[in-house]
Amino acid sequence: LGVNAYAFIVTNNGYVLVHPDLRPVFQGILKPSYNSVDMTDVELMDDGQGPHNFSRKLLEFREKLVQGNITSSISLPMKQHFDNMKRVMRGTRFYYYKPIVDSPFTLVVSLPDHYGRFQVDAVVETHLLKSSKGKLNFFEGKSWKVHPDWFYCKYRMDTEETQSFSSPEDEIEHFFAKTQSAGWNWPTRYQHDIQSNASAASKSDKPGSKNKPYYCDRTLFLSLVFDAKVTSWFNKNVSAASAEDKGNEFKQRFGLTLVFLATRSGLTRWQDFPYSSTRDEGASNLHFKDIHNKAIDEVWYKRAVEQNYEDPERFVYSVPFNSGILGSEVLDRNETLVTAANAIFVENGDKKAPAAVVGFQFQHSALHNLFINITHSCPTTIGGNCKPTQTCGSDSFECYVLDSNAYIILSENKEHTGYFFGEVRGYVMEQLVAENVYRRVHIYDYQGVCFISENQGSSRSNSLKNPLHYLSW
């Protein structure tokens, strides 16, 4: 469906059967109301209303889904949260819905405005690939991943040809080679051999009717091959630079550790740069490939596409939340990395569709040093009118760099890194809201629960409650 898009299913009672924000488990415990989450509890309208004060338009939309006999569409101003409700995305969303035949369910597809209604249509027909050296391979090396939760091609479990693979990447390489073989065709869905009657069984015995031992999403797989082909240059050692290369100065100045590229088909490539000599080699941080291998489902991908649609030159920066809690010593060992991302769009006239996101990671300590050097000195552009007391080095000023959701990227005090600015300087945050630099957005978690202790005789037990149960309105 594309970045920031999703689908969900609603029952004839208005409950969600499937939804990306359906959270049935809390701390390993199945919630008491896991199967009765209403669609109005997960589709949050951006209308400024209080809890459970649902918009008439949203309720009318719900009613049409409950009826289960209408195929139509609607657009609504909505809020979408991510990063455990630490960030929110606001904007118009388009909903396309249709009843599922012979069921009490309705399928809904939700797309963001503008870029959500267009997709890049680019594939490579693998059977047309030719090379004098035999089969082509655009998946060389080990510095690439595919989305671990997506289905590209798989063997059926009820066949003797079933194979197991050590990773999704091994599976992709196997099927990529197989698609270039003679006699390959594309079974598009999983088909069962079980037949309910003799006539159906006799039909299955006819030549050519036998099911293939594998099944594929042809469009997704060929889109992946296209992306792998056009990004194959990324396998080259871009980290190698000559002494005259200006990029080498940039790498050293910012402590560049990694560059990456992620595409709309779920492909992620990266290249490591040599770590700074001051980096703690014993650091236990997970590598980029272990925590950022979901391409369009990564938060930095979503934020980059959303912000770069209007401002293509902007880079979206982020640091781990509350990373300053580890203390300045950890930050000084270069264990905290800044992630910068920028989205690439394909344009055709007035239409734009996101194709990929590129970015890099670099040491927070290097950026902090640059921040101090700039903010603690007088700009040369204003001549001799600047005094040291007018810079961030003065006790009269505190300087910060905040991201688009008011989380601290840089502060003179490194221990503020990754914190919400309102936690550090609440009054100043209130002023930023009052002056429309930021906007306060309320998100109500209708699936939120908490433990409430209840006395039962001499014993105490914990009950799982919905916190809104204790609100009155």
Side-chain angles (χ1 to χ4, degrees):
L1 295 176
V3 59
N4 291 320
Y6 56 89
F8 59 97
I9 297 176
V10 178
T11 71
N12 57 354
N13 292 318
Y15 300 147
V16 289
L17 183 67
V18 177
H19 193 285
D21 192 34
L22 179 61
R23 290 168 275 127
V25 177
F26 174 74
Q27 295 185 3
I29 302 173
L30 190 64
K31 297 177 183 177
S33 58
Y34 76 95
N35 59 351
S36 58
V37 177
D38 198 89
M39 64 90 58
T40 56
D41 293 339
V42 290
E43 291 298 314
L44 307 178
M45 196 159 178
D46 189 15
D47 56 1
Q49 298 297 322
H52 281 158
N53 187 11
F54 300 120
S55 163
R56 177 179 57 83
K57 290 184 177 180
L58 184 62
L59 294 177
E60 290 175 352
F61 176 36
R62 178 188 182 278
E63 180 61 26
K64 292 179 180 179
L65 299 182
V66 168
Q67 291 175 10
N69 58 1
I70 301 174
T71 299
S72 188
S73 63
I74 188 175
S75 63
L76 296 170
M78 305 299 288
K79 297 177 290 190
Q80 184 181 4
H81 65 83
F82 45 97
D83 262 345
N84 294 321
M85 295 193 175
K86 291 183 174 68
R87 301 186 187 277
V88 63
M89 187 179 298
R90 303 168 56 243
T92 300
R93 298 193 69 86
F94 289 84
Y95 294 89
Y96 301 87
Y97 53 96
K98 182 177 182 178
I100 299 176
V101 178
D102 297 329
S103 79
F105 309 132
T106 299
L107 173 66
V108 186
V109 174
S110 176
L111 304 177
D113 195 8
H114 304 306
Y115 62 85
R117 289 180 288 174
F118 305 102
Q119 288 188 347
V120 176
D121 183 13
V123 299
V124 169
E125 293 290 352
T126 53
H127 69 279
L128 299 178
L129 296 174
K130 297 183 183 297
S131 171
S132 59
K133 299 181 181 180
K135 295 179 180 178
L136 292 174
N137 186 10
F138 303 130
F139 299 97
E140 296 177 347
K142 297 298 182 182
S143 297
W144 62 276
K145 291 278 189 180
V146 294
H147 198 302
D149 302 330
W150 285 5
F151 148 69
Y152 295 91
C153 275
K154 286 189 178 297
Y155 279 103
R156 292 167 45 188
M157 300 301 294
D158 57 348
T159 175
E160 295 180 356
E161 296 187 40
T162 296
Q163 298 186 34
S164 60
F165 301 92
S166 60
S167 68
E169 292 71 39
D170 288 343
E171 189 173 50
I172 290 294
E173 288 187 288
H174 170 82
F175 277 103
F176 180 58
K178 199 174 183 67
T179 59
Q180 299 177 66
S181 303
W184 168 268
N185 62 17
W186 292 95
T188 56
R189 64 181 182 275
Y190 189 98
Q191 296 176 332
H192 294 281
D193 287 331
I194 300 175
Q195 304 293 337
S196 59
N197 53 60
S199 61
S202 63
K203 290 180 181 179
S204 67
D205 292 334
K206 293 181 180 180
S209 65
K210 185 178 180 180
N211 291 328
K212 291 289 183 180
Y214 51 83
Y215 53 106
C216 300
D217 185 326
R218 180 178 182 275
T219 301
L220 179 60
F221 192 94
L222 295 183
S223 296
L224 175 68
V225 174
F226 177 88
D227 289 352
K229 179 182 178 181
V230 299
T231 62
S232 59
W233 59 270
F234 209 80
N235 281 328
K236 298 178 181 178
N237 188 9
V238 297
S239 64
S242 64
E244 294 77 24
D245 189 357
K246 293 183 179 180
N248 200 36
E249 178 185 352
F250 174 83
K251 289 181 289 184
Q252 293 178 352
R253 186 180 187 188
F254 289 96
L256 195 63
T257 63
L258 177 142
V259 293
F260 63 87
L261 178 152
T263 74
R264 37 116 203 184
S265 65
L267 174 66
T268 301
R269 295 187 186 272
W270 70 90
Q271 280 206 27
D272 292 295
F273 286 77
Y275 281 178
S276 167
S277 59
T278 61
R279 183 176 174 84
D280 183 1
E281 296 298 333
S284 59
N285 293 2
L286 291 174
H287 190 271
F288 179 87
K289 67 178 183 293
D290 300 316
I291 54 178
H292 294 301
N293 56 9
K294 293 187 177 181
I296 71 170
D297 289 333
E298 296 292 339
V299 173
W300 43 259
Y301 197 115
K302 295 179 179 182
R303 293 180 65 209
V305 169
E306 183 71 16
Q307 297 187 35
N308 290 143
Y309 182 83
E310 297 291 347
D311 185 1
E313 301 299 323
R314 172 189 300 183
F315 268 80
V316 178
Y317 294 88
S318 61
V319 294
F321 291 116
N322 297 347
S323 51
I325 198 173
L326 300 175
S328 297
E329 292 184 3
V330 173
L331 294 172
D332 288 338
R333 291 202 303 266
N334 301 327
E335 293 181 20
T336 296
L337 298 177
V338 182
T339 301
N342 178 267
I344 299 173
F345 288 82
V346 174
E347 300 186 33
N348 184 1
D350 60 346
K351 301 179 179 65
K352 292 173 62 175
V357 167
V358 296
F360 54 95
Q361 288 189 324
F362 57 99
Q363 296 165 355
H364 181 272
S365 58
L367 185 63
H368 186 268
N369 290 338
L370 182 63
F371 169 72
I372 295 297
N373 291 338
I374 293 175
T375 59
H376 284 223
S377 59
C378 291
T380 57
T381 55
I382 62 175
N385 296 326
C386 173
K387 299 179 181 179
T389 55
Q390 296 174 311
T391 70
C392 295
S394 168
D395 292 338
S396 302
F397 297 97
E398 291 185 9
C399 297
Y400 301 86
V401 174
L402 310 180
D403 70 11
S404 57
N405 297 106
Y407 285 92
I408 299 173
I409 301 293
L410 290 166
S411 167
E412 294 173 275
N413 184 348
K414 291 184 180 180
E415 295 184 6
H416 292 160
T417 305
Y419 278 86
F420 178 62
F421 187 60
E423 295 181 79
V424 177
R425 292 290 180 265
Y427 173 75
V428 180
M429 187 72 230
E430 291 287 349
Q431 289 298 113
L432 293 176
V433 172
E435 296 180 16
N436 295 320
V437 177
Y438 288 96
R439 178 174 178 176
R440 180 182 284 107
V441 179
H442 295 281
I443 294 290
Y444 299 102
D445 184 6
Y446 296 112
Q447 299 178 74
V449 294
C450 54
F451 286 107
I452 304 297
S453 297
E454 297 178 346
N455 288 322
Q456 294 183 351
S458 60
S459 66
R460 296 176 65 86
S461 62
N462 288 326
S463 298
L464 208 57
K465 298 287 186 180
N466 186 318
L468 290 177
H469 173 78
Y470 295 96
L471 298 179
S472 60
W473 55 83

